[in-house]
Structure formats: structure tokens, C-alpha cells
Amino acid sequence: MAQALAVVTGMWVYTLTLAADRPVGLLAGAAVATALLLAMLLALRVRALPTPPGTRYAAALRARSRRRGVPRQTDPDAAGRPRPRAPGTHPSAA
């Protein structure tokens, strides 16, 4: 990782020395390159942090909430389906 960072930095310096014709352009390019490198290092550091406990559970709950919550509408009169039963005159034992 450090070797790749050194290669990228060297490429930036080489590009800046070729592209900048005045010291102000060189300074501005160096500032932009430094900001990009710091942003990349910060992103790598944040990515390397351990995930807090319960993150998987929260992700599972979010995924579950996005799924369809209403059951499919089926035709009760389709072939092979028993007819829905109406409530009887006597209360059920359950």
C-alpha cells in the first residue's frame, strides 16, 4: 500500500512539474494533490474501522422492510382451491 502511494505521489509530482509553467501553478497543483491524497488516506482509514455490533441486524431489518409486506392476491375460485369458509352460526371452539 505504501509503495503504491509513493508511486502515485511521484506521478503527481512529475505531472505537476511538466504542466506548471509558473510557481503559482505548481503550488496550486501541489495543494490539490495533497488534498486528494489526504482524502484517500482518510477514506482508507474509515474503511478499515471495525463495524459496530448490531450493524448486520440493522441491515437485515432494512432489507426486510423493503420487501413486499402484502401477500399476493390469489383467486379463491381457481381450480383446485377449496372455497373459503364462512363463519358458522356457532362460535368456534378455539
Side-chain angles (χ1 to χ4, degrees):
M1 181 67 192
Q3 192 176 21
L5 189 61
V7 169
V8 170
T9 306
M11 288 173 33
W12 271 103
V13 170
Y14 180 71
T15 305
L16 288 175
T17 55
L18 289 178
D21 55 347
R22 296 188 332 214
V24 174
L26 184 64
L27 185 61
V32 168
T34 303
L36 288 174
L37 287 175
L38 286 175
M40 183 180 72
L41 288 174
L42 179 66
L44 289 174
R45 181 168 285 249
V46 168
R47 187 175 170 203
L49 290 175
T51 57
T55 305
R56 274 198 209 149
Y57 182 69
L61 283 178
R62 277 192 302 276
R64 183 177 175 196
S65 70
R66 290 183 185 121
R67 285 190 298 230
R68 182 176 32 141
V70 179
R72 274 187 327 154
Q73 299 283 330
T74 56
D75 184 15
D77 293 329
R81 289 192 178 270
R83 295 278 303 161
R85 298 180 63 150
T89 56
H90 301 293
S92 64

